[in-house]
Amino acid sequence: MFAHSISLAVAEKIVDEVLRQGRERGFQPLTVVVLDDGGHIKALKRDDGASIMRPEICMGKAWGALALGFGGRELARRADKMSMFMNAASDLAGGKMVPVPGGILIKDGKGTIVGAVGITGDTSDNDEICGVEAVKAVGLTPDVGD
Amino acid sequence: MFAHSISLAVAEKIVDEVLRQGRERGFQPLTVVVLDDGGHIKALKRDDGASIMRPEICMGKAWGALALGFGGRELARRADKMSMFMNAASDLAGGKMVPVPGGILIKDGKGTIVGAVGITGDTSDNDEICGVEAVKAVGLTPDVGD
Amino acid sequence: MFAHSISLAVAEKIVDEVLRQGRERGFQPLTVVVLDDGGHIKALKRDDGASIMRPEICMGKAWGALALGFGGRELARRADKMSMFMNAASDLAGGKMVPVPGGILIKDGKGTIVGAVGITGDTSDNDEICGVEAVKAVGLTPDVGD
Amino acid sequence: MFAHSISLAVAEKIVDEVLRQGRERGFQPLTVVVLDDGGHIKALKRDDGASIMRPEICMGKAWGALALGFGGRELARRADKMSMFMNAASDLAGGKMVPVPGGILIKDGKGTIVGAVGITGDTSDNDEICGVEAVKAVGLTPDVGD
């Protein structure tokens, strides 16, 4: 279905499942992106009522996870313990790194990173729940950085 | 009064009322902007005696509120509790996000965001008072993030 | 179908129809975005095999059309006749303006701009054909800048 | 009425007169800014229907005039004859310089620059006409760079 990176067919399913999860759970309107293993967008959707900077935020969560190779929860821990490093990394990245939960690595059966999903709109914990469920729903493995 | 977003006629009234409020209350010279729901300027005025960076600051207050969908008071709370997230968001926004009171969402009767007003010049609390009064004066609903 | 701007439901249909058109016509892999009337992403998809900068390019086509209020074909004409202006505008926009065909304004029945679609991957003319067909397919009016 | 720089009271009159001129002449929706002699916004208005990047463009016209001390018509001539210089100047300015007609220096009776007005929305020539009339209407002298 894919070799090194996630296909559009799988990325679409993850994006749609994230939105479905958010609506079913009564969360705030979500915005979600799936990036390939090179950090480039495969699919992104912003639900009606989501605020205007949400696309950049979900991209920052997913890109940050790929950039350092950890899920957002580990990025958040490092941001707490090593704030100077994360500030420097954010500058280095031209700002496009958001170190909070809701950035999730997507791994295949061998543990290879094939992409990442970023979600924003509700609390970071709730954002993450939707992403985890959506990655599992397509038979892949979410890595939130626990 | 407006169709898709706030009209210039309404934005002008808000801007002028903010300046009038500030002068009547003896506040420091104010600068005020009204942005439409997409974050683009409709009207901006900087009173005589206001310092040179005030336009960027009031734009950052209003834009930050629209960007995340919260009034400035909630942005300030999040900046306290989640400083890394707000730093990252500020970097992501190229700096144009100022998370303090004085950035106010403007909502219509149905609760839909139709724009935002940003005020700077006096204390953030005083800036906010003028904005709240001005939004009410045109029959719309201010959301300061309380 | 949409209130203040294009809804996600309509944006999704346009994005999917653009990809379907491109595949049916045997075009190179396309990348397509729909922006709302404020220039913010509603939906974006990059087909398998599309190169890595395609998301930024299609966003630049759609954003440029909204930024100046003309379809990409008119932006291209102006870039020919007034190259200094378009260079300046591109610098002013931080680079996120691509003045070629394939950036299409989306208008409602009253001629109001409700968003824009940007397509890239094949020739600009072919990109545009897919966008025009997709906007028509949802009952809205494409404005390519002719 | 003002010493080194234009007052808000005068800037407001210029901005409103530009919009009035544009509407009376049946021009496309205009966006207009008045900057003080330091290049900082005093007043800006974007008429309903004007596209989203218009504030930046009118600021770029007015700022460019102040930056080099010539009206936009002279900037345009230099852009033609010395394109490398104007490209470099644009880069140096972080992009905020738009070398076309519609950026007009505002001078007092002694020929001192007290600010600048920038207009965009219709053709550059039409933009300029509205600015010239508005500066004259407040008893000041427009310098378009002729």
Side-chain angles (χ1 to χ4, degrees), chain B residues 118-130:
Chain B
I119 307 103
T120 184
D122 206 283
T123 65
S124 288
D125 285 350
N126 284 345
D127 296 341
E128 188 186 85
I129 287 167
C130 299

Side-chain angles (χ1 to χ4, degrees), chain C residues 19-122:
Chain C
L19 294 184
R20 202 190 65 76
Q21 289 273 343
R23 290 167 185 168
E24 191 177 275
R25 293 165 187 268
F27 290 169
Q28 292 295 310
L30 299 182
T31 304
V32 52
V33 69
V34 171
L35 305 180
D36 68 17
D37 63 341
H40 306 287
I41 307 177
K42 290 297 288 184
L44 186 155
K45 292 188 179 177
R46 178 167 63 105
D47 213 347
D48 297 330
S51 60
I52 62 176
M53 199 188 176
R54 296 294 169 182
E56 287 75 15
I57 294 173
C58 69
M59 286 190 270
K61 289 188 182 189
W63 195 87
L66 288 168
L68 295 183
F70 304 113
R73 209 160 274 279
E74 172 65 13
L75 293 184
R77 263 192 302 273
R78 295 192 178 209
D80 267 352
K81 290 187 203 156
M82 312 156 61
S83 62
M84 288 304 297
F85 172 72
M86 287 306 294
N87 278 337
S90 173
D91 285 352
L92 195 60
K96 61 175 178 174
M97 176 178 280
V98 180
V100 294
I104 302 168
L105 294 173
I106 305 172
K107 295 184 171 177
D108 67 11
K110 295 177 187 165
T112 304
I113 296 171
V114 295
V117 55
I119 308 102
T120 185
D122 205 283

Side-chain angles (χ1 to χ4, degrees), chain B residues 6-9 12 16 19 23 31 36 40-50 52-53 55-56 59, chain D residues 6-9 12 16 19 23 31 36 40-50 52-53 55-56 59:
Chain B
I6 201 160
S7 67
L8 177 58
E12 285 175 322
D16 288 341
L19 294 183
R23 289 166 185 167
T31 304
D36 68 18
H40 306 287
I41 307 177
K42 290 298 287 184
L44 186 155
K45 292 188 179 177
R46 178 167 62 104
D47 213 348
D48 297 331
I52 61 175
M53 199 188 175
E56 287 74 17
M59 285 190 270
Chain D
I6 201 160
S7 67
L8 177 58
E12 285 175 324
D16 288 340
L19 294 183
R23 290 167 184 169
T31 304
D36 68 17
H40 306 287
I41 307 177
K42 291 299 287 184
L44 187 155
K45 292 187 179 178
R46 177 167 64 105
D47 212 347
D48 297 329
I52 61 176
M53 199 191 176
E56 288 74 16
M59 287 191 269

Side-chain angles (χ1 to χ4, degrees), chain B residues 6 9-10 17 32 81 83 90 108 123-124 126 142-144 146:
Chain B
I6 201 160
V10 175
E17 179 63 14
V32 53
K81 290 187 201 154
S83 62
S90 174
D108 67 12
T123 65
S124 288
N126 284 345
D143 177 350
V144 300
D146 254 344

Side-chain angles (χ1 to χ4, degrees), chain A residues 6-9 12 16 19 23 31 36 40-49 52-53 55-56 59, chain C residues 6-9 12 16 19 23 31 36 40-49 52-53 55-56 59:
Chain A
I6 201 161
S7 66
L8 177 58
E12 285 175 322
D16 288 340
L19 294 183
R23 289 167 185 169
T31 304
D36 68 16
H40 305 287
I41 307 177
K42 291 297 289 185
L44 187 156
K45 292 187 180 178
R46 178 167 63 105
D47 212 348
D48 297 330
I52 62 176
M53 199 190 175
E56 287 74 16
M59 287 191 268
Chain C
I6 200 160
S7 66
L8 177 58
E12 285 175 322
D16 288 340
L19 294 184
R23 290 167 185 168
T31 304
D36 68 17
H40 306 287
I41 307 177
K42 290 297 288 184
L44 186 155
K45 292 188 179 177
R46 178 167 63 105
D47 213 347
D48 297 330
I52 62 176
M53 199 188 176
E56 287 75 15
M59 286 190 270

